Amino acid sequence: MREADYFASDVHLSAERPEISDRFLRFLERVKDDGRRLFLLGDIFDLWVGPKQTRLPYVGPILAKLRELTHEGIEVHYLAGNRDFNFDARVNGGPPPRRLPEVLSVESHGRRLFLTHGDLLCTGDRAYRRARRIGRSIPVRAAFAGMPLALSTFLSRGYRRLSERTVARKPRRETAVDFARVRTHLLHGHDAVVCGHVHRGARYRVDLPDRRAGEFITLGDWRREGVYLVSRPGSMNLRKFQ
């Protein structure tokens, strides 16, 4: 009987790390065994520049397995990350979405969950938020879609390296999660906020003024720990995929 909801993020699939692809494919096999829904909370691919990327050898098996899950009756929901917001493959067998959702509110076995990649919760980094708006604008998306794959990949990787160096120099207060924003989502009727982006699997209790306690749950980076969340009737647990 299919009853489990699975949540994963920050897998960072790439041609350079085939062992991560193998690991993630084994995880998807596990989902196929007892999953009813799979929620991918962004940065599943380390980089996604557009539809031409589906021609790369490491991408095909992943998309084929996601389609296999949907053909088995498992719902697959893909949210935008900060590296793969252009993802538009036909994971559900239909036309690609124009834009991936950035947030999703779902009910899972009696718990109401607010799902997002996590970068929207880091409200102190104003420079990133400006760059985010530019990168996701229609002209920039159209420009990348029209480029040869090699050029768009080269430019995206260059920007990613620059971004990583810039983030490393920023003060912690700029890049940290804004717990006031997390609390706001909990006060709006959610039992837990679930996200990735911070690359660390953890659970935090959040006390609320209405005498309720909510949770903030972060998922792990698959380059290091592969921590995912599984929700079943009566339980919701972080697991490390072995």
Side-chain angles (χ1 to χ4, degrees):
M1 179 179 179
R2 299 189 185 279
E3 60 180 12
D5 292 335
Y6 287 85
F7 307 81
S9 72
D10 299 284
V11 183
H12 293 283
L13 298 166
S14 68
E16 294 76 22
R17 298 289 300 272
E19 74 279 7
I20 297 180
S21 294
D22 292 342
R23 195 174 173 198
F24 188 58
L25 286 169
R26 294 197 305 272
F27 167 74
L28 295 179
E29 275 294 325
R30 179 174 296 181
V31 174
K32 191 174 80 169
D33 288 341
D34 71 340
R36 64 169 186 167
R37 294 186 295 184
L38 171 63
F39 297 91
L40 301 173
L41 306 189
D43 284 6
I44 303 305
F45 290 91
D46 193 51
L47 191 67
W48 191 271
V49 296
K52 297 185 182 76
Q53 193 166 331
T54 58
R55 300 199 300 260
L56 299 181
Y58 80 95
V59 174
I62 301 297
L63 300 186
K65 182 60 68 175
L66 291 174
R67 284 193 292 268
E68 183 181 335
L69 294 185
T70 63
H71 294 158
E72 291 282 334
I74 300 168
E75 294 180 23
V76 177
H77 300 269
Y78 202 123
L79 275 68
N82 56 293
R83 296 191 180 194
D84 60 356
F85 57 87
N86 275 323
F87 182 75
D88 55 7
R90 302 182 179 188
V91 295
N92 288 309
R98 182 177 177 85
R99 288 198 179 188
L100 293 176
E102 295 184 341
V103 301
L104 195 62
S105 181
V106 301
E107 186 276 337
S108 179
H109 301 300
R111 308 173 195 91
R112 190 155 184 79
L113 310 179
F114 181 87
L115 311 178
T116 188
H117 175 61
D119 54 329
L120 288 173
L121 300 175
C122 302
T123 60
D125 193 345
R126 295 182 179 179
Y128 166 73
R129 295 174 78 83
R130 287 194 296 271
R132 187 180 189 277
R133 286 195 295 271
I134 295 170
R136 300 187 187 212
S137 65
I138 292 176
V140 171
R141 284 173 181 255
F144 268 82
M147 289 179 189
L149 177 61
L151 177 59
S152 58
T153 300
F154 173 79
L155 292 175
S156 296
R157 284 179 174 166
Y159 175 75
R160 185 186 69 193
R161 288 193 292 269
L162 174 62
S163 175
E164 288 173 347
R165 291 195 296 269
T166 302
V167 169
R169 294 194 297 266
K170 290 180 179 180
R172 173 67 178 164
R173 65 179 181 276
E174 286 190 18
T175 58
V177 168
D178 181 357
F179 268 78
R181 180 64 61 89
V182 172
R183 189 173 287 106
T184 296
H185 293 309
L186 293 173
L187 287 171
H188 287 171
H190 295 96
D191 299 298
V193 172
V194 183
C195 76
H197 189 62
V198 300
H199 292 186
R200 182 177 63 256
R203 299 180 77 157
Y204 305 89
R205 175 188 169 99
V206 182
D207 292 319
L208 303 171
D210 57 4
R211 298 184 180 180
R212 221 171 23 99
E215 274 198 295
F216 177 45
I217 302 173
T218 59
L219 309 177
D221 173 5
W222 282 60
R223 292 173 298 189
R224 296 185 300 168
E225 55 182 12
V227 172
Y228 65 96
L229 180 71
V230 58
S231 172
R232 305 179 189 276
S235 69
M236 188 168 64
N237 298 301
L238 286 174
R239 300 290 187 203
K240 184 174 182 179
F241 187 74
Q242 302 295 336

